[in-house]
Amino acid sequence: NAGVTQTPKFQVLKTGQSMTLQCAQDMNHNSMYWYRQDPGMGLRLIYYSASEGTTDKGEVPNGYNVSRLNKREFSLRLESAAPSQTSVYFCASIGVIYQPQHFGDGTRLSIL
Amino acid sequence: AQTVTQSQPEMSVQEAETVTLSCTYDTSESDYYLFWYKQPPSRQMILVIRQEAYKQQNATENRFSVNFQKAAKSFSLKISDSQLGDAAMYFCAYRVLNDMRFGAGTRLTVKP
């Protein structure tokens, strides 16, 4: 049982390049989330998808777009990467709202 | 907006001793969930313990227990009989529906 799988695990981009981070879960979960983790700030919610076909902004959505491709997959896109988007990105999912989130292993993204 | 505050950036404990990590949160909601997550150097986010706000009884999971004070909006984590493997970053988190907020984290060092 793979749980939540994120690809890639590491990526280096140049300023202005675009990039899509992929996330897939095999637990038949309804809700999926994207977070970023910066030093000294914990995790902050970028976007979430409460169910297939819906997406909503979180705490820090600027500079990002998301797509809930199907129930399993939720991607995060940086259209024009900026150094301020250098971070570790986590995807998470839950089946029902009172359950804890299952996290992927994270993607370390560096933008030069 | 809901906020989560962890006032101890770093803590240390002697192996086999007990340590308490502090967390306070700000909310106007009455129904919510609280979590403690552990993040070792591997970067994985591992659920330690969770508490439903409507439950008065404090949650326990083996050596981990919480002191949940709803009126004071306080949610501390107690680790008993500390082990070397407990060394990690610990994040307190608060969730209402799909809005999840994390504290900045406490780095726990365990001394042999």
Side-chain angles (χ1 to χ4, degrees), chain B:
Chain B
Q2 293 85 0
T3 58
V4 179
T5 302
Q6 293 179 249
S7 59
Q8 306 151 318
E10 296 183 354
M11 292 283 285
S12 67
V13 63
Q14 207 70 33
E15 195 176 6
E17 298 285 299
T18 295
V19 64
T20 298
L21 308 184
S22 301
C23 174
T24 59
Y25 56 93
D26 182 27
T27 185
S28 57
E29 303 286 342
S30 59
D31 193 14
Y32 50 87
Y33 302 90
L34 298 164
F35 306 88
W36 278 97
Y37 281 90
K38 171 185 177 181
Q39 188 179 47
S42 67
R43 205 169 67 196
Q44 284 183 294
M45 291 291 289
I46 302 166
L47 177 70
V48 175
I49 200 165
R50 69 172 175 173
Q51 175 82 41
E52 292 86 351
Y54 64 86
K55 290 186 177 179
Q56 292 187 334
Q57 187 174 4
N58 289 325
T60 62
E61 286 287 343
N62 300 314
R63 297 183 296 107
F64 299 88
S65 61
V66 298
N67 183 5
F68 173 47
Q69 302 287 331
K70 191 172 184 178
K73 297 178 184 175
S74 172
F75 183 60
S76 61
L77 175 69
K78 185 171 82 171
I79 306 174
S80 303
D81 186 25
S82 297
Q83 300 176 359
L84 295 177
D86 294 335
M89 283 291 289
Y90 285 82
F91 293 97
C92 177
Y94 159 100
R95 191 172 86 210
V96 170
L97 297 178
N98 286 294
D99 186 7
M100 187 144 173
R101 304 294 171 118
F102 287 81
T106 296
R107 182 175 301 281
L108 179 66
T109 303
V110 181
K111 298 178 181 178

Side-chain angles (χ1 to χ4, degrees), chain A residues 61-76:
Chain A
N62 291 343
Y64 305 95
N65 287 302
V66 290
S67 295
R68 183 74 181 268
L69 305 171
N70 48 55
K71 192 171 186 179
R72 289 186 64 249
E73 299 172 288
F74 187 40
S75 62
L76 178 71

Side-chain angles (χ1 to χ4, degrees), chain A residues 36-69:
Chain A
R36 59 179 288 174
Q37 182 180 22
D38 301 300
M41 299 188 73
L43 279 71
R44 291 182 293 168
L45 182 63
I46 304 171
Y47 270 94
Y48 66 93
S49 171
S51 61
E52 187 178 354
T54 68
T55 61
D56 285 286
K57 295 178 181 180
E59 188 181 359
V60 288
N62 291 343
Y64 305 95
N65 287 302
V66 290
S67 295
R68 183 74 181 268
L69 305 171

